[in-house]
Amino acid sequence: MTGDWIALVRSDLGVIPNVIATPINIPVQVTSLSPIVPINYLGGEILTISGDNFGFDTSCIDVVFGDNTACQVVSASMTTITCMTNRLATSTLVGTSISIIIN
């Protein structure tokens, strides 16, 4: 899952002290968004975001449009997030961004 992680080494005797001071960063990568046609600004559309390192816990994932309208996350896997759109604040999405926040 995305984020900063500290390596933990275990042996038969237990945990070996960590000598790596720098966390390992695993970035999120978005490769595609579907549908690519304009979505209905009234909501109810299923939006599929494809990529890598999303994680499985839907309670830790937020998808938000540039007008601060949330897209309700329905399911998630390491490579796909599916969300249902709510009614958007504006009827146009020209130049609108989408933020994916993984807590």
Side-chain angles (χ1 to χ4, degrees), residues 5-85:
W5 295 86
I6 300 290
L8 186 63
V9 181
R10 296 179 190 264
S11 75
D12 292 339
L13 301 174
V15 177
I16 298 172
N18 184 358
V19 294
I20 301 172
T22 306
I24 301 167
N25 182 272
I26 302 174
V28 169
Q29 180 181 15
V30 175
T31 56
S32 68
L33 187 64
S34 177
I36 56 173
V37 297
I39 62 172
N40 186 344
Y41 75 94
L42 296 175
E45 297 266 349
I46 296 294
L47 187 65
T48 302
I49 303 163
S50 299
D52 204 12
N53 298 325
F54 295 138
F56 297 96
D57 189 350
T58 58
S59 68
C60 293
I61 302 171
D62 295 313
V63 178
V64 182
F65 288 96
D67 66 356
N68 290 324
T69 301
C71 190
Q72 180 182 349
V73 177
V74 176
S75 66
S77 71
M78 291 302 287
T79 59
T80 306
I81 297 171
T82 304
C83 65
M84 181 174 290
T85 61

